[in-house]
Amino acid sequence: MHEDISTGVAASGKLEQLAALARRYANPEFSVTHGGRVRTIAAGHYTVTGLSRHIRLGEFVAHRSATGIHLGEVIRVEPDVAFVSPIEPGEPIGIHDTVIRKGAFRIAPNDSWCGRTINALGDPIDGHGPLSPGTIRRPISNSAPPSMTRSRVEKGFRTGVRAIDIFSPLCLGQRLGIFAGSGVGKSTLLSMLARADAFDKVVIALVGERGREVREFIEDTLGPNMAKAVAVVATSDESPMLRKMAPLSAMTIAEHFRDQGDNVLFIVDSVTRFAHAIREVATAAGEPPIARGYPASVFTELPKLLERAGPGEEGKGTITAIISILVDGDNHNDPIADSTRGILDGHIVLDRSLAEEGRYPPINPLASISRLARKAWTGDQEKLVSRLKTLIHRFEETRDLRLIGGYRLGSDPDLDMAIKQVPVIYEILKQTPHDRPAADAYADLAQALKNAMGGGAAMQGGVPANRRA
Ligand SMILES: Nc1ncnc2c1ncn2[C@@H]1O[C@H](COP(=O)(O)OP(=O)(O)OP(=O)(O)O)[C@@H](O)[C@H]1O
Ligand SMILES: [Mg+2]
């Protein structure tokens, strides 16, 4: 059954009201020609008759209730009914309420949004007054620039975190994941990376975090850097739709800055909670699970989001994406960890055992990889890191043997070297968010080794350690 809003509503004068609300949303795509009625209501979604022929999957609708206009996303379309997931939890929905088509959800980012905290809909939530919209309204589910027109990723930068700058250096436009179990140190490491001075702008999507952590992250850790940052927040108590939209809105803001030629750092904490939100919405739409409860749409949405990061078209800026991935029960092979690892250009692995030893940031240098490290290292640095990894590996594989007294110094010169130098390396890699970012991680390492070796040659094995990065 299809009800046309021009006949069903206009007579009662409701059309004018809806048109006024449409103007409030100021969306040029907004059309009041297609409307329908709520038919059934369930936890997590409602169905609408009369819209199926006019709307597309992923478009937005406006639902008019006793408390005002509420947005929802079309999550499934059948010949007779469309399934809609409401954006606000607890919105009062009644049978026969009016629902109108709104089209793609768009936001209009503006440079003046820097320093502000907004929600997934692009509305300010920091109490600092309204936001002025930019001139271009961008759909939040945009597609990535065509691959052949994008510039190449080749310029390294310093993060200021020694364990990353030495072992897994990064390039502008790279996409990096931080993988760890709960409470191991992902958010803290992200906040340290957000202070890297290589970026003109920082856009942070905080998804499914606790409300308390959001203020801490923004006020304490970002501090003065907040002036060049925009934070998009959807906390754990918000609807799955808002949690799903937050990284998309944040990416849209990052694209606005990138298109102006800025080098943008895009952070998502955490992508796992983004995936959980997609799962909740998809389950409400009746999509069957394919891997540990995750439906197929999770595995199409993740690459779609991450592919939008990277270098822009020639002459534009870059979006460097650093995202955190919660590995359930420290299982690094769960479906989300597995599928994101394949899309990313590198992964940093945090170990709970290192955090328990107080070795923060608890980055495991042997398990972490930057696939673009070669573009950031000099030839000498690459050789040095390879040598350092060999020493660390020797040190770790003989740990138990040495603990039970099964090794006598002098029997293996390589292991002797590892026993002397690896604790020094571990010590120099320690960093807290209160420490100053390292200006030159290699110089710090060389100095520490030199001091520990009593001023003699810092590194043996043919690699001078005092080369600048
Ligand atoms: N670099 C660091 N220096 C000192 N302490 C740290 C560091 N990183 C993490 N910690 C300690 O570990 C705790 C947990 O860190 P954090 O909140 O970053 O973990 P998380 O992996 O984001 O946790 P969750 O999974 O709950 O989001 C912090 O409160 C802090 O005490
Ligand atoms: Mg966290």
Side-chain angles (χ1 to χ4, degrees):
M1 185 188 82
H2 167 242
E3 285 179 42
D4 196 44
I5 206 153
S6 52
T7 53
V9 183
S12 62
K14 285 187 181 145
L15 186 60
E16 284 71 23
Q17 282 176 34
L18 287 174
L21 287 160
R23 276 195 297 280
R24 205 184 97 202
Y25 283 112
N27 186 343
E29 308 250 312
F30 193 94
S31 157
V32 288
T33 50
H34 302 302
R37 300 274 190 195
V38 173
R39 181 197 250 175
T40 60
I41 306 160
H45 74 276
Y46 60 88
T47 63
V48 183
T49 56
L51 271 180
S52 299
R53 282 196 294 138
H54 308 289
I55 44 165
R56 302 285 171 269
L57 201 64
E59 283 189 340
F60 276 69
V61 292
H63 157 240
R64 188 173 181 279
S65 79
T67 55
I69 286 282
H70 303 277
L71 290 176
E73 187 185 321
V74 178
I75 53 173
R76 176 169 162 178
V77 185
E78 290 187 355
D80 292 336
V81 287
F83 287 61
V84 176
S85 179
I87 282 183
E88 293 150 85
E91 132 195 5
I93 305 163
I95 296 287
H96 243 63
D97 280 355
T98 306
V99 177
I100 54 176
R101 175 173 175 262
K102 190 177 182 304
F105 188 80
R106 289 166 187 259
I107 56 171
N110 194 341
D111 292 0
S112 62
W113 292 16
C114 283
R116 302 296 303 268
T117 305
I118 63 176
N119 65 13
L121 302 173
D123 296 324
I125 53 167
D126 52 8
H128 296 161
L131 286 176
S132 30
T135 47
I136 305 175
R137 297 189 65 81
R138 296 162 177 266
I140 63 164
S141 38
N142 205 354
S143 41
S147 50
M148 293 312 284
T149 63
R150 299 180 94 161
S151 42
R152 296 181 52 152
V153 178
E154 22 213 11
K155 196 166 164 249
F157 71 93
R158 287 187 189 138
T159 64
V161 177
R162 280 188 286 268
I164 293 182
D165 286 349
I166 294 175
F167 289 98
S168 331
L170 309 180
C171 289
L172 291 175
Q174 183 163 356
R175 292 161 307 174
L176 181 86
I178 294 174
F179 292 75
S182 61
V184 177
K186 297 179 296 300
S187 304
T188 312
L189 182 57
L190 284 176
S191 68
M192 291 163 76
L193 293 168
R195 294 184 299 185
D197 53 18
F199 298 100
D200 305 302
K201 300 285 184 313
V202 182
V203 184
I204 302 156
L206 297 175
V207 188
E209 293 293 296
R210 295 164 276 261
R212 165 188 65 81
E213 284 182 323
V214 169
R215 271 195 77 178
E216 256 172 42
F217 191 96
I218 292 168
E219 291 171 10
D220 301 351
T221 38
L222 273 179
N225 262 16
M226 188 62 201
K228 61 174 184 182
V230 183
V232 183
V233 175
T235 48
S236 52
D237 55 330
E238 292 189 76
S239 73
M241 275 306 302
L242 288 172
R243 281 181 275 135
K244 179 185 154 187
M245 288 166 74
L248 303 178
S249 298
M251 180 59 89
T252 311
I253 298 168
E255 287 167 341
H256 160 79
F257 292 126
R258 177 203 61 198
D259 289 350
Q260 298 186 357
D262 285 340
N263 288 318
V264 186
L265 173 61
F266 170 74
I267 288 177
V268 183
D269 192 9
S270 78
V271 155
T272 309
R273 306 221 192 274
F274 171 62
H276 288 174
I278 300 171
R279 177 172 65 184
E280 279 180 56
V281 174
T283 309
E287 212 188 304
I290 56 159
R292 291 236 197 118
Y294 289 103
S297 55
V298 171
F299 303 101
T300 52
E301 287 289 333
L302 284 173
K304 227 168 108 187
L305 172 72
L306 294 172
E307 201 44 47
R308 289 167 67 182
E313 291 173 278
E314 293 288 346
K316 294 187 174 167
T318 57
I319 300 177
T320 306
I322 306 186
I323 60 171
S324 70
I325 296 108
L326 171 77
V327 286
D328 278 342
D330 291 292
N331 169 16
H332 285 255
N333 293 324
D334 82 18
I336 299 302
D338 240 4
S339 72
T340 37
R341 223 185 337 260
I343 315 163
L344 296 165
D345 312 307
H347 52 270
I348 300 290
V349 177
L350 306 187
D351 269 3
R352 193 176 292 280
S353 60
L354 303 189
E356 282 164 359
E357 269 179 55
R359 270 174 50 198
Y360 284 113
I363 296 174
N364 179 338
L366 300 181
S368 303
I369 293 170
S370 163
R371 296 189 194 179
L372 299 168
R374 284 223 170 85
K375 293 181 193 269
W377 277 323
T378 62
D380 280 349
Q381 285 168 351
E382 186 174 350
K383 281 190 210 148
L384 168 68
V385 169
S386 157
R387 173 87 182 132
L388 291 177
K389 283 190 173 175
T390 309
L391 289 181
I392 293 174
H393 186 253
R394 285 293 279 140
F395 184 81
E396 292 299 340
E397 72 175 356
T398 57
R399 195 182 267 269
D400 292 344
L401 179 76
R402 286 182 288 109
L403 270 176
I404 56 165
Y407 176 71
R408 214 158 7 104
L409 274 173
S411 337
D412 175 349
D414 249 13
L415 183 52
D416 290 347
M417 167 85 70
I419 293 167
K420 262 194 228 156
Q421 297 196 340
V422 171
V424 182
I425 298 168
Y426 284 171
E427 199 54 40
I428 196 71
L429 297 184
K430 283 187 186 171
Q431 241 175 313
T432 74
H434 308 292
D435 296 334
R436 276 229 321 274
D440 188 339
Y442 288 95
D444 293 350
L445 175 66
Q447 190 59 46
L449 287 169
K450 202 168 158 190
N451 295 346
M453 303 299 125
M459 282 296 301
Q460 290 177 17
V463 184
N466 58 348
R467 297 262 170 174
R468 285 182 58 83

